[in-house]
Amino acid sequence: MSKVVLITGASSGIGKSIGEFLHNKGFTVYGTSRNPERITNSVFPLLSLDVRNKESIQKAVSEVIHKSGRVDVVINNAGVGITGPIEEIPTEEIKNNFETNLFGPIEVMKAILPAMRSQNSGLIINITSIAGYMGLPYRGIYSASKGALELITEALRMEVKNFGIHITNVAPGDFATNIAAGRFHAPLLKGSAYEVPYRTTLSMMNEHVDSGSNPNEMADAIYKIIQTPNPKGHYKIGAFMQKFSIVLKRILPDKVYEKMLMNHYKI
């Protein structure tokens, strides 16, 4: 019997690539989108789900269980980017980012855990980010939301281990997707104290995404994790230097690492 997989945010980008890869491997895949009716080329069914809406989450999970009788793997992929000087990002946009990147995945996990506990099995994969391991200039809110999800996963992983449920984080680096187009960008304010360094950093961030790795690399990594009987708590997927930056943060003095980041972003 093929494993049943539920992927949030699967209408484009990494989520779509993962869904297509697993579908081609014989998995029963359900994806989600806030507006599935707009997607006409998906090779797997797309359900309506907004991670900021608890009722929407419960309905999608119930639909998958009703149709397939179980959920073996949940991939919390839905997320949004956000950039800008923290001083200038509207508070409502900060809250929206945390609702999507942190509280949404938590609600998805809370919705699926009873079913997995009754099965005495299950795997939850939370897609975080290498940016979640460090406070990056002009991406501080994004770093914070993804870093918080990393820590939530660490704690929940221990809480549910005795139920036969595995939870892991997968932190990607830059991949060539449309994430930059969907980010909230705090506007470049003429005359702002941050105008020049923010413009420079924003340009670099967009270049990194445009020249990022193929999302299929991420899909292949997810497939291998699903096939692993006892997954690790953390996986990092991406270019060597992006992964190595996490190691450098562990071994370098704070001020040296901070200077390295500032030199990289030319600020």
Side-chain angles (χ1 to χ4, degrees):
M1 186 172 63
S2 65
K3 287 187 175 180
V4 178
V5 183
L6 174 62
I7 308 170
T8 66
S11 62
S12 64
I14 286 176
K16 181 180 180 181
S17 294
I18 294 170
E20 291 175 346
F21 192 96
L22 296 180
H23 171 80
N24 292 334
K25 290 289 185 180
F27 289 80
T28 300
V29 177
Y30 295 90
T32 78
S33 170
R34 282 180 295 174
N35 301 290
E37 67 281 356
R38 297 180 183 175
I39 312 300
T40 58
N41 61 347
S42 181
V43 299
F44 49 85
L46 283 173
L47 309 178
S48 177
L49 187 151
D50 184 340
V51 294
R52 299 166 301 178
N53 184 307
K54 186 175 179 179
E55 184 179 322
S56 159
I57 293 169
Q58 294 283 0
K59 183 178 178 182
V61 169
S62 296
E63 187 172 347
V64 173
I65 293 173
H66 174 73
K67 288 181 175 179
S68 293
R70 59 189 293 115
V71 180
D72 298 295
V73 182
V74 169
I75 302 173
N76 263 319
N77 171 72
V80 290
I82 185 169
T83 65
I86 292 172
E87 183 182 349
E88 295 178 356
I89 299 175
T91 300
E92 59 268 25
E93 292 295 343
I94 295 174
K95 290 180 178 179
N96 177 66
N97 191 267
F98 273 79
E99 287 287 346
T100 306
N101 291 356
L102 177 63
F103 299 121
I106 290 173
E107 289 298 334
V108 171
M109 289 189 285
K110 289 169 71 173
I112 199 62
L113 281 173
M116 287 186 167
R117 194 163 52 247
S118 68
Q119 297 167 185
N120 197 36
S121 68
L123 170 64
I124 298 173
I125 300 174
N126 289 327
I127 307 299
T128 58
S129 173
I130 286 177
Y133 284 83
M134 59 204 75
L136 295 175
Y138 305 109
R139 267 202 290 183
I141 301 303
Y142 183 75
S143 290
S145 65
K146 290 296 190 177
L149 184 56
E150 286 271 342
L151 295 181
I152 287 287
T153 305
E154 285 185 2
L156 188 57
R157 177 180 163 88
M158 291 183 280
E159 293 175 7
V160 303
K161 191 175 284 287
N162 289 338
F163 306 134
I165 303 169
H166 299 284
I167 305 185
T168 185
N169 285 309
V170 179
D174 289 318
F175 282 85
T177 69
N178 61 349
I179 187 173
R183 282 182 182 140
F184 171 81
H185 295 290
L188 281 162
L189 300 177
K190 192 164 181 61
S192 163
Y194 305 102
E195 180 184 2
V196 174
Y198 176 36
R199 179 188 292 116
T200 301
T201 303
L202 188 58
S203 176
M204 288 184 66
M205 284 189 283
N206 290 337
E207 287 174 10
H208 290 164
V209 170
D210 291 340
S211 62
S213 304
N214 189 321
N216 285 336
E217 293 179 26
M218 185 72 173
D220 183 59
I222 294 293
Y223 171 70
K224 289 174 180 174
I225 292 169
I226 293 173
Q227 300 296 92
T228 302
N230 189 20
K232 299 187 298 183
H234 299 274
Y235 294 88
K236 292 91 175 173
I237 313 296
F240 171 78
M241 282 309 298
Q242 291 175 349
K243 293 186 288 186
F244 189 56
S245 65
I246 299 172
V247 178
L248 289 177
K249 185 175 184 185
R250 291 197 193 110
I251 63 177
L252 292 177
D254 288 350
K255 289 183 179 178
V256 174
Y257 190 77
E258 180 182 72
K259 185 66 175 176
M260 185 186 76
L261 283 180
M262 293 183 74
N263 286 339
H264 175 74
Y265 286 105
K266 300 182 172 66
I267 59 176

